[in-house]
Amino acid sequence: MFLKLTNLLENNGEILIASQEVNYIAKIVYTDYLITNRNLNTMTAEAFTKFLNKHIKSDDNLRDYSKDPWLMPYRLIIRSKDVYEIRSAGPDLEFNTNDDIIAVSQY
């Protein structure tokens, strides 16, 4: 019982972190778009990882912020001409499942 509760609390903490991060990343992407008018449709997964590593730094350099708390890369997904989402795979480590953590934004 104690182990299950500990795992639940740990996952909830990681879910909260990922939720805050996808929202923060969405704001960074939007701000960058306003400044540079960058075409998000042409941004590859590798380019998005480089973008995140350039724009998000930790004070101690112990964390790679291009990855979620489960060490899966955050994804930029273009949904339409002016809508994009930032997606974390969530605790199950698989994208496009019910536990994905998503921030949707317009540009």
Side-chain angles (χ1 to χ4, degrees):
M1 171 86 173
F2 179 73
L3 184 58
K4 284 185 179 181
L5 181 59
T6 301
N7 288 342
L8 178 64
L9 291 174
E10 183 177 306
N11 269 340
N12 283 341
E14 290 168 336
I15 290 168
L16 178 61
I17 290 168
S19 178
Q20 291 171 339
E21 288 179 356
V22 294
N23 284 294
Y24 181 66
I25 291 167
K27 290 175 186 174
I28 291 171
V29 170
Y30 178 71
T31 302
D32 181 73
Y33 172 77
L34 290 176
I35 294 169
T36 67
N37 204 25
R38 182 188 317 269
N39 184 351
L40 298 178
N41 290 309
T42 62
M43 190 178 287
T44 65
E46 182 179 322
F48 186 58
T49 296
K50 288 180 181 179
F51 172 86
L52 293 178
N53 286 328
K54 176 182 176 186
H55 292 286
I56 305 174
K57 305 270 189 220
S58 67
D59 292 336
D60 54 16
N61 289 321
L62 294 177
R63 171 91 194 281
D64 178 355
Y65 284 98
S66 68
K67 297 180 180 176
D68 66 17
W70 302 277
L71 304 178
M72 296 294 292
Y74 284 112
R75 286 188 179 171
L76 169 67
I77 300 167
I78 306 302
R79 287 289 170 217
S80 68
K81 179 182 171 190
D82 60 352
V83 176
Y84 66 93
E85 70 180 44
I86 307 301
R87 183 178 287 257
S88 161
D92 73 356
L93 309 179
E94 293 184 33
F95 285 98
N96 303 314
T97 59
N98 289 335
D99 73 339
D100 287 9
I101 301 161
I102 305 166
V104 177
S105 191
Q106 291 185 302
Y107 61 97

